[in-house]
Amino acid sequence: DRLKRLLDPLILPTVDNFPQLTCGLLIALHIIFILFAGQALHAVWPAGSEGSLLQGLYQKVKELPGTSSPLFFLVPFVLTHVITCGIYLLLDWWRPSWVQTLMAHRRAAGDWGGPDLGLTRTLLSQLNVAPATALGVTYMLARNGPIPYTRPWVASCLDKCELSLPSHAPSVVELLVHLTFCLIVSDLAYGFVHLQMHRHRGLWKHVHSIHHEYKETFVTVGPHVHPMELLVVFTISVFSPAACGAHPFTCWVWYSLYTLISLEAHTGWRQTPLGWLLNAITMGNFGGSMHHHLHHAVVWGNYAPFFTFMDKLMGTEILQADEVREPEFRNKLKADILQLSFLSVARLSCLVQVKSVKGQTATCQMQTGECSWLLEFGYSVSHPCFWLLQGFRCAIIRYTDMNRSRRAGAVCSTNRVGKRRGGRGGTKDEKCFMQRCVVRKQHTSQMH
């Protein structure tokens, strides 16, 4: 819990009124973290180890047109994105029986997440970043910089650069060390940002909720994000190899690998070929597509994009047994859960009580971000206090979206919570929460 709240003193002052500014602050803080991690690696493993095994392949790539341009680093991103999306979209459009057996849940061919969502929505959302991308590319062309590679292989340069690629390839050991560093550091950096996007209502509502419109994922759901979240992903992916002084060839491999893993995580498959390989290498500690499928299905957990270490450490790991599916979920909910009551709400935490039909109750204290997130959007909350009820592990209460939750009987509005002000009868936060979450015929909130 202390680790989760580590950046709250910096996040809380701006997150409700300026969520994009808070997102930018998180980007800056994690860039600093990545740079310090790179310096720590330099102390243990100084970059610059040459090798002959990769020389032939590196030479062929080096001879391709445009490699000496500062913009060539975009080619691995775009090429991997187009090829991976093309292959998996074709399989989803066709979706024969052998593909369905590989998926977490069988879905008919052409099922793109429901009638109100669809494939086109994910493709159009990617066009939202086109103006910013065009602006960045124009700037780099006009200024001929900055160069995304760093010393010792390439001289660092921010403006009017003359890029001279190294004549020698890196050693295989250095390539593997730097790829491992990039995987671990980017997993920690994005995983922590991702956690904050779920903890804080402002970041969830204005930035991350777009990505969670889809409960059943397919490959183009991966880049279906708010532009600020895409900026988070992009900066982490570019600064990770730069921080450790990776060879340009290592950078190109990393950009392709990062894009491929991120896209495959959203295929909705139990396991992809690359995920199976990485899971075998890491002895079962690589999350893969099933890990992220459970994140979209249950929502409150599995925040790390690659490995499972961070979620295990923070107690946010979701296992396959934790997923509760429709329509079975509705039957269990009606049978076991009678009432969800918000007993009190303060600025940093709230007290929640769940009561079952059989009279069992569970009470726990939750963080305000989690409470407001549940109140405002009606999604699931996975919390240890719910383990006491009927043997459920997580994900006791789940709605697919606010409109459906309203039809189901939830009455919480979407008004923003005011700033804390002391006084008799509780703080303004308490009054606001309790007033918003009241069944009009009863004295407590009830989610059916």
Side-chain angles (χ1 to χ4, degrees):
D1 286 342
R2 289 181 179 178
L3 193 57
K4 291 178 184 179
R5 300 187 182 100
L6 183 64
L7 298 180
D8 279 4
L10 298 175
I11 294 174
L12 290 175
T14 59
V15 67
D16 286 333
N17 297 319
F18 306 102
Q20 284 82 12
L21 179 63
T22 306
C23 201
L25 174 64
L26 287 173
I27 292 174
L29 292 173
H30 284 80
I31 288 175
I32 294 172
F33 162 73
I34 291 171
L35 294 176
F36 271 104
Q39 291 301 311
L41 180 66
H42 277 300
V44 179
W45 184 278
S49 174
E50 299 176 358
S52 58
L53 193 59
L54 299 172
Q55 186 63 38
L57 180 59
Y58 169 62
Q59 199 62 37
K60 289 181 180 179
V61 177
K62 184 181 175 182
E63 292 172 358
L64 293 174
T67 53
S68 59
S69 169
L71 285 170
F72 184 78
F73 81 105
L74 295 174
V75 173
F77 283 117
V78 175
L79 198 60
T80 306
H81 181 90
V82 172
I83 293 174
T84 305
C85 287
I87 293 173
Y88 280 104
L89 284 178
L90 179 62
L91 291 174
D92 275 333
W93 198 286
W94 178 28
R95 211 170 274 166
S97 58
W98 66 269
V99 170
Q100 295 204 26
T101 59
L102 298 173
M103 302 184 71
H105 301 121
R106 289 177 175 266
R107 285 144 59 193
D111 181 351
W112 306 108
D116 298 330
L117 297 171
L119 172 63
T120 305
R121 185 176 180 84
T122 64
L123 298 177
L124 291 176
S125 68
Q126 297 176 47
L127 296 178
N128 292 336
V129 300
T133 304
L135 185 64
V137 169
T138 302
Y139 175 83
M140 291 187 69
L141 286 173
R143 307 298 297 180
N144 199 34
I147 293 175
Y149 322 118
T150 55
R151 299 181 184 274
W153 296 103
V154 176
S156 301
C157 179
L158 299 177
D159 191 37
K160 298 180 181 179
C161 308
E162 294 183 4
L163 176 58
S164 178
L165 293 174
S167 56
H168 296 284
S171 66
V172 175
V173 175
E174 177 167 308
L175 178 122
L176 294 176
V177 168
H178 284 166
L179 288 180
T180 303
F181 170 84
C182 292
L183 278 169
I184 294 174
V185 167
S186 59
D187 185 68
L188 292 173
Y190 181 74
F192 195 77
V193 174
H194 191 192
L195 171 64
Q196 304 310 316
M197 288 182 177
H198 281 259
R199 285 187 63 243
H200 296 282
R201 182 182 55 182
L203 293 176
W204 168 266
K205 180 179 179 180
H206 299 288
V207 179
H208 193 53
S209 61
I210 296 173
H211 184 61
H212 277 275
E213 290 177 337
Y214 291 80
K215 305 299 178 292
E216 296 284 359
T217 59
F218 49 93
V219 67
T220 51
V221 172
H224 177 67
V225 294
H226 188 278
M228 283 302 296
E229 186 169 358
L230 188 64
L231 183 62
V232 172
V233 174
F234 179 75
T235 51
I236 289 174
S237 63
V238 171
F239 275 89
S240 295
C244 64
H247 190 283
F249 182 77
T250 305
C251 293
W252 302 333
V253 173
W254 163 247
Y255 301 149
S256 294
L257 181 66
Y258 187 87
T259 306
L260 180 58
I261 294 176
S262 300
L263 291 173
E264 282 197 345
H266 292 86
T267 56
W269 289 27
R270 290 197 306 274
Q271 194 60 281
T272 60
L274 179 62
W276 178 86
L277 177 62
L278 292 174
N279 199 46
I281 294 173
T282 59
M283 296 179 289
N285 288 296
F286 183 80
S289 51
M290 190 64 188
H291 179 82
H292 200 69
H293 160 77
L294 291 171
H295 172 71
H296 277 261
V298 179
V299 180
W300 203 263
N302 284 9
Y303 302 113
F306 304 142
F307 302 109
T308 59
F309 301 113
M310 192 188 88
D311 287 300
K312 289 177 180 177
L313 174 66
M314 292 191 173
T316 56
E317 184 182 23
I318 302 171
L319 304 176
Q320 192 167 354
D322 297 324
E323 185 184 13
V324 184
R325 298 289 301 157
E326 300 276 6
E328 302 87 32
F329 168 75
R330 286 200 203 100
N331 297 330
K332 290 182 179 179
L333 182 64
K334 290 177 181 178
D336 293 319
I337 302 301
L338 172 66
Q339 188 171 284
L340 173 70
S341 303
F342 288 81
L343 305 181
S344 65
V345 180
R347 182 167 178 76
L348 295 179
S349 65
C350 65
L351 198 63
V352 179
Q353 185 180 72
V354 179
K355 185 177 181 181
S356 72
V357 172
K358 295 181 179 180
Q360 294 174 305
T361 59
T363 306
C364 66
Q365 190 170 359
M366 301 170 65
Q367 296 174 42
T368 305
E370 298 170 1
C371 298
S372 60
W373 182 86
L374 170 64
L375 284 171
E376 186 164 349
F377 300 102
Y379 286 96
S380 63
V381 170
S382 302
H383 196 277
C385 76
F386 294 140
W387 296 359
L388 303 176
L389 287 175
Q390 302 298 319
F392 283 88
R393 300 182 64 178
C394 295
I396 285 292
I397 298 165
R398 179 164 75 89
Y399 291 103
T400 54
D401 55 53
M402 191 59 194
N403 291 329
R404 285 187 62 183
S405 70
R406 280 175 178 167
R407 290 201 296 271
V411 297
C412 300
S413 69
T414 57
N415 295 327
R416 180 171 294 175
V417 178
K419 297 180 180 179
R420 181 180 183 183
R421 291 176 184 171
R424 293 184 178 180
T427 64
K428 187 176 180 181
D429 283 353
E430 292 174 350
K431 292 177 182 178
C432 186
F433 267 101
M434 295 306 292
Q435 184 179 5
R436 288 190 298 138
C437 211
V438 171
V439 174
R440 283 151 176 73
K441 295 181 181 179
Q442 300 293 336
H443 64 280
T444 54
S445 67
Q446 197 169 28
M447 292 189 178
H448 302 279

